[in-house]
Amino acid sequence: MPDDVIDVFGFALHLAQTGKKHNQAKPLKGFGGAGVLEVIEDHLGDTYRAVYTVKIVDAVFVLHCFQKKSKQGIETPKHDLDIIRERLKAA
């Protein structure tokens, strides 16, 4: 990932660790509320996403970070959603 994207994601995770929410963080659809959040950052025409959870007490777990490859729609690809679900169960 580009350094600028890493900086945005790192700051968002820092805020989450202090109990705050980055202005670009929003609940990920299909995960029942605000316990699983995603931050989306565009860079030079590419879109990157970081997904994390604050459901676990006293911890922020990064579930998945990826570059969205699909040029159609804004929907998160099923493969990536499956990875997020598996990692959330493990957490």
Side-chain angles (χ1 to χ4, degrees):
M1 289 188 184
D3 288 340
D4 291 346
V5 173
I6 292 170
D7 288 347
V8 171
F9 290 169
F11 183 61
L13 293 170
H14 168 72
L15 289 175
Q17 289 173 328
T18 61
K20 298 173 186 163
K21 188 174 137 189
H22 192 275
N23 62 355
Q24 289 175 234
K26 63 179 185 172
L28 182 61
K29 291 179 185 175
F31 286 86
V36 177
L37 300 157
E38 72 173 335
V39 178
I40 300 171
E41 181 67 14
D42 293 322
H43 181 77
L44 299 177
D46 293 321
T47 300
Y48 298 88
R49 294 182 180 193
V51 178
Y52 63 94
T53 185
V54 292
K55 283 184 173 183
I56 290 83
V57 177
D58 296 329
V60 174
F61 281 89
V62 177
L63 301 171
H64 195 35
C65 292
F66 59 100
Q67 178 181 0
K68 186 171 179 296
K69 302 276 186 183
S70 173
K71 301 297 181 190
Q72 298 175 349
I74 60 172
E75 207 170 280
T76 304
K78 182 185 180 321
H79 170 74
D80 292 305
L81 289 174
D82 291 343
I83 290 171
I84 293 165
R85 281 190 188 92
E86 287 177 30
R87 292 177 180 171
L88 182 59
K89 279 184 198 176

